[in-house]
C-alpha cells in the first residue's frame, strides 16, 4: 500500500507540474480581448457569415453587440464561441411590458438561435432616458422584467437583461466623487432599475464617450496620453484619463443610492478616425491612441481609482465604418473597412503587426556605424525642443504605470545626468519598449522622437530588451501567485494523505 501511495503522489506532482506549465504558457501568451458594436447602417458591408468567420479566425474579438435581432447575424455567429448582445427597438418597449408579448418576442427572436448562438445580453432599447419620451421611460423597467420572466419560462436563464444609458443620466459628473443621477429620476427611475440588476445579477450598462466630453485643453486627458490630470479634492485622487473619471462618476451616483455592488458594463465607447475639415480632435492618430490605450487599459485589470482591480467588459464603437451615417465623423468610427482591412489595429488582430497611425513620430537618422533602424534597434527619446514641463508630465505619467522608474531615482544607474530631459528620455523609452515599440507609443503629445542610435551611456542601459524584461517580470509575478496556490494545495494534499496512512 505504501508503494501504491508513493506512485499516486508521484503522479499527483507530475500533474501539478504539467498544469503549472500550461498556466504559465497561457499567462505569457495572453492576448487582448474586447467587444465591438456591429452596426449595419451601410450598403457595402460583407455578409454576416463572412464577418463572423473573420472575427473568429483573424481577431481576438470575442463578443459583439448588435442594434436589433437580425436573424442572419444571429445564425452566422452560431457555434463560433463569440457571444452576441441583441437589442430591443425603442418602439417595441411599450408592447413588451406585458408577459405574453415578451414571451412571443423571445420565441420569435431568441429561441430559434439559443443556445447554438451565445446570446449574452438583451439590451432593452438604447439610451431611453435621452429620448425624454415619458411613455418609453415609464415602460422600460416593466419591459425588462417581463423579458426576464419570459427567458426564465423558456429555460434561457443564462441570458441577462439590461439597458444602455448615456452619461446624460448624471446631473453632476465632475469631479467623479460628486457624480449623481438627475434629480427626480434618481429614486423614481434609476434606483428601481439598479434593484432589478441586483436581484437578477445583471449589469448596469453605460456608454461613456470621452470623445464627446473633451475640450482642447483636455484632449490628452481624453486620449489616455500624458497629462497633468484632474484632481478630485474630495477623494485626493488625481485622474489621468477621462474614461476612468466618467466610470467613477457613474459609480459614485450608484453608491449614493446604495447600489455600488452592481456590475458596470461599457456598452459603447469610441473615437472617429476622420471628420469634417478642422473638426477638433478628430484624426486617425487620435482614434488609434484612444482605442489602443482603451483596449490595454480595460484588459489590465487595474480598474479605476474608485473601482480598483476590476476588468470592465467593454464594447468599442464600432466594428465597421458605416457609409450611410449622417456626418463624416459618424461614418468613421470603425476599426475595419467594409473589405475587412483594418483602419488601424488596436491590438486585436491575431499574429499580425499593428497598422500604426497615419502619421508617425519622426525618426532620427542613424549615423554611420550605428544600429539599424529596424526591429529592436529603435529607441524613444525626448525631442530637443520639448519643454521641461511637458517632459516632467511624461515622467509622471510613465512612472504611474507598471514601468520601473527606480533607475532614474537617486542612486539609480540612470540618475545622472540629473536633469528632466535625461530622466524623461529613459522613462519614455522604457514605456515605448514595454508596449510593443509601436510608433504611437513614442508620441507623448509630440514630445517624443524615435531614434536608431542607442542612447545608453556608462551603466545606464536603454536596451530594447527592457520591454521584454518588464513583460516577463509581470508574467512571472502572475505565475508565481498561481504556483503559490498550487504549492499550498499540494502541501495540504500531502498532509491529508499522510494522516490517512496513519
Amino acid at each position: 500500500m505504501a508503494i501504491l501511495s508513493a506512485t499516486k503522489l508521484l503522479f499527483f506532482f507530475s500533474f501539478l507540474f504539467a498544469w503549472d506549465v500550461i498556466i504559465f504558457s497561457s499567462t505569457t501568451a495572453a492576448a487582448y480581448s474586447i467587444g465591438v458594436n456591429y452596426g449595419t447602417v451601410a450598403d457595402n458591408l460583407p455578409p454576416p457569415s463572412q464577418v463572423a468567420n473573420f472575427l473568429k479566425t483573424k481577431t481576438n474579438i470575442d463578443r459583439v453587440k448588435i442594434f436589433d435581432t437580425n436573424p442572419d447575424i444571429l445564425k452566422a455567429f452560431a457555434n463560433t464561441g463569440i457571444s452576441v448582445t441583441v437589442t430591443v427597438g425603442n418602439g417595441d418597449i411599450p408592447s413588451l411590458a406585458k408577459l405574453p408579448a415578451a414571451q412571443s418576442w423571445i420565441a420569435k427572436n431568441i429561441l430559434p438561435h439559443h443556445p447554438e448562438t451565445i446570446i449574452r445580453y438583451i439590451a432593452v432599447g438604447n439610451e431611453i432616458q435621452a429620448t425624454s419620451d415619458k411613455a418609453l421611460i415609464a415602460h422600460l423597467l416593466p419591459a425588462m422584467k417581463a423579458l426576464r420572466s419570459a427567458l426564465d419560462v423558456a429555460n434561457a436563464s443564462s441570458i441577462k437583461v439590461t439597458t444602455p444609458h448615456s452619461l446624460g443620466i448624471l446631473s453632476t459628473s465632475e469631479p467623479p466623487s460628486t457624480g449623481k443621477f438627475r434629480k427626480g429620476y434618481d429614486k423614481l427611475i434609476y434606483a428601481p432599475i439598479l434593484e432589478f440588476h441586483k436581484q437578477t445579477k445583471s449589469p448596469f450598462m453605460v456608454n461613456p464617450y470621452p470623445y464627446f466630453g473633451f475640450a482642447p485643453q483636455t484632449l490628452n486627458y481624453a486620449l489616455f496620453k500624458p497629462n497633468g490630470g484632474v484632481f478630485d479634492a474630495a477623494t485626493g485622487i488625481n485622474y489621468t484619463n477621462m474614461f476612468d473619471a466618467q466610470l467613477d462618476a457613474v459609480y459614485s451616483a450608484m453608491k449614493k443610492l446604495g447600489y455600488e455592488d452592481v456590475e458596470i458594463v461599457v456598452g459603447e465607447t469610441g473615437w472617429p478616425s476622420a471628420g469634417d475639415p478642422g473638426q477638433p480632435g478628430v484624426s486617425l492618430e487620435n482614434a488609434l491612441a484612444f482605442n489602443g490605450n482603451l483596449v490595454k487599459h480595460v484588459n489590465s485589470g487595474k480598474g479605476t481609482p474608485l473601482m480598483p482591480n476590476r476588468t470592465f467588459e467593454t464594447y468599442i464603437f464600432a466594428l465597421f465604418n458605416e457609409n450611410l451615417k449622417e456626418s463624416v465623423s459618424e461614418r468613421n468610427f470603425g476599426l475595419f473597412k467594409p473589405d475587412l482591412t483594418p483602419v488601424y489595429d488596436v491590438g486585436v488582430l491575431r499574429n499580425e503587426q499593428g497598422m500604426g497611425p497615419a502619421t508617425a513620430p519622426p525618426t532620427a537618422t542613424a549615423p554611420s556605424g550605428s544600429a539599424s533602424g529596424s526591429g529592436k534597434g529603435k529607441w524613444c527619446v525626448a525631442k530637443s525642443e520639448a519643454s521641461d514641463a511637458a517632459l516632467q508630465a511624461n515622467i509622471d505619467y510613465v512612472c504611474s504605470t507598471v514601468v520601473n522608474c527606480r533607475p532614474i531615482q537617486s542612486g539609480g544607474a540612470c540618475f545622472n545626468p540629473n536633469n528632466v530631459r535625461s530622466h524623461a528620455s529613459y522613462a519614455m523609452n522604457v514605456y515605448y519598449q514595454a508596449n510593443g515599440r509601436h510608433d504611437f507609443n513614442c508620441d507623448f503629445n509630440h514630445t517624443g522622437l524615435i531614434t536608431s542610435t542607442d542612447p545608453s551611456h556608462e551603466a545606464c542601459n536603454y536596451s530594447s530588451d527592457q520591454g521584454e524584461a518588464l513583460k516577463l517580470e509581470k508574467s512571472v509575478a502572475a505565475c508565481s501567485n498561481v504556483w503559490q496556490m498550487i504549492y499550498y494545495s499540494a502541501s495540504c494534499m500531502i498532509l491529508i494523505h499522510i494522516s490517512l496512512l496513519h
Side-chain angles (χ1 to χ4, degrees):
M1 182 174 178
I3 295 174
L4 180 61
S5 300
T7 302
K8 288 181 177 178
L9 282 174
L10 179 62
F11 174 80
F12 179 69
F13 278 114
S14 298
F15 170 78
L16 287 179
F17 177 78
W19 181 246
D20 186 54
V21 169
I22 291 170
I23 290 174
F24 181 80
S25 299
S26 63
T27 300
T28 56
Y32 293 134
S33 65
I34 200 74
V36 292
N37 284 270
Y38 177 6
T40 56
V41 186
D43 58 10
N44 58 354
L45 298 182
S49 58
Q50 187 178 354
V51 174
N53 182 64
F54 170 73
L55 294 182
K56 180 181 179 179
T57 60
K58 301 297 185 181
T59 79
N60 295 317
I61 292 169
D62 58 3
R63 65 206 82 135
V64 299
K65 178 170 164 278
I66 62 176
F67 294 92
D68 50 25
T69 54
N70 186 317
D72 293 331
I73 293 178
L74 290 175
K75 182 179 179 181
F77 281 94
N79 304 309
T80 61
I82 298 173
S83 65
V84 182
T85 292
V86 300
T87 302
V88 174
N90 287 2
D92 293 332
I93 290 175
S95 65
L96 295 179
K98 301 292 185 179
L99 182 58
Q103 287 179 297
S104 296
W105 191 92
I106 294 295
K108 176 184 177 182
N109 297 291
I110 302 299
L111 297 185
H113 310 285
H114 171 80
E116 290 77 15
T117 298
I118 304 170
I119 300 176
R120 186 164 178 79
Y121 303 120
I122 295 176
V124 183
N126 188 45
E127 300 184 351
I128 294 301
Q129 278 71 33
T131 68
S132 298
D133 186 316
K134 293 182 179 180
L136 290 182
I137 294 171
H139 287 95
L140 176 59
L141 183 56
M144 294 169 70
K145 290 180 175 180
L147 288 166
R148 173 72 273 155
S149 297
L151 288 168
D152 292 338
V153 170
N155 294 317
S157 300
S158 61
I159 302 171
K160 304 294 184 182
V161 177
T162 186
T163 184
H165 305 274
S166 74
L167 291 198
I169 61 177
L170 302 179
S171 61
T172 305
S173 61
E174 296 179 0
S177 62
T178 65
K180 59 182 178 181
F181 293 113
R182 291 165 58 185
K183 188 176 181 180
Y185 284 76
D186 48 1
K187 295 181 180 179
L188 183 64
I189 300 296
Y190 303 117
I193 288 177
L194 287 166
E195 179 63 25
F196 168 83
H197 288 312
K198 183 177 181 179
Q199 294 298 326
T200 62
K201 295 181 173 57
S202 56
F204 190 66
M205 185 175 283
V206 295
N207 299 339
Y209 274 95
Y211 168 68
F212 293 118
F214 83 93
Q217 64 271 24
T218 59
L219 180 58
N220 286 342
Y221 178 59
L223 295 174
F224 297 88
K225 287 186 174 183
N227 63 91
V230 175
F231 185 68
D232 188 333
T235 58
I237 295 169
N238 190 53
Y239 283 85
T240 57
N241 71 81
M242 190 181 291
F243 180 79
D244 279 358
Q246 290 180 338
L247 285 186
D248 275 358
V250 173
Y251 171 81
S252 294
M254 294 166 63
K255 187 175 182 180
K256 286 179 174 65
L257 295 179
Y259 292 99
E260 66 271 23
D261 56 340
V262 172
E263 180 186 0
I264 294 175
V265 164
V266 177
E268 288 182 35
T269 190
W271 201 283
S273 59
D276 294 316
Q279 189 171 352
V282 178
S283 68
L284 181 66
E285 182 181 2
N286 286 347
L288 174 60
F290 176 79
N291 285 322
N293 287 323
L294 171 79
V295 170
K296 289 188 290 186
H297 185 63
V298 298
N299 275 277
S300 71
K302 184 179 179 181
T304 70
L306 296 184
M307 295 177 285
N309 305 316
R310 289 173 64 169
T311 300
F312 295 98
E313 183 176 353
T314 300
Y315 294 80
I316 290 178
F317 187 88
L319 178 57
F320 292 115
N321 283 339
E322 299 171 67
N323 68 339
L324 297 183
K325 291 287 186 73
E326 291 186 7
S327 67
V328 176
S329 60
E330 286 180 302
R331 294 195 290 268
N332 287 279
F333 270 87
L335 298 179
F336 295 93
K337 300 173 185 177
D339 63 1
L340 299 176
T341 59
V343 179
Y344 52 87
D345 180 22
V346 295
V348 297
L349 287 171
R350 294 186 179 182
N351 303 318
E352 294 185 29
Q353 295 296 318
M355 296 298 292
T359 57
T363 302
T365 303
S368 178
S370 65
S372 68
S374 63
K376 293 187 177 182
K378 287 185 178 182
W379 296 265
C380 177
V381 296
K383 283 184 179 179
S384 58
E385 65 269 24
S387 69
D388 282 357
L391 296 180
Q392 184 61 54
N394 293 349
I395 295 172
D396 295 341
Y397 173 77
V398 169
C399 295
S400 69
T401 65
V402 295
V403 169
N404 176 16
C405 288
R406 286 192 296 271
I408 57 175
Q409 295 171 359
S410 181
C414 299
F415 180 69
N416 289 316
N418 181 18
N419 59 62
V420 172
R421 188 167 308 280
S422 176
H423 291 178
S425 288
Y426 178 86
M428 292 161 66
N429 181 66
V430 177
Y431 182 86
Y432 170 71
Q433 304 294 342
N435 286 280
R437 305 183 187 92
H438 299 298
D439 289 346
F440 64 87
N441 290 128
C442 186
D443 181 66
F444 289 98
N445 195 27
H446 308 301
T447 62
L449 173 74
I450 295 173
T451 178
S452 53
T453 302
D454 188 350
S456 301
H457 54 89
E458 298 178 353
C460 182
N461 180 22
Y462 278 66
S463 168
S464 58
D465 291 330
Q466 286 174 314
E468 297 303 322
L470 180 62
K471 293 175 185 175
L472 180 59
E473 178 182 318
K474 290 188 286 185
S475 296
V476 170
C479 188
S480 67
N481 291 334
V482 175
W483 172 246
Q484 287 175 12
M485 179 180 68
I486 294 174
Y487 173 80
Y488 288 122
S489 299
S491 300
C492 291
M493 291 294 291
I494 293 170
L495 290 173
I496 293 170
H497 191 81
I498 292 173
S499 66
L500 290 174
L501 288 176
H502 288 285

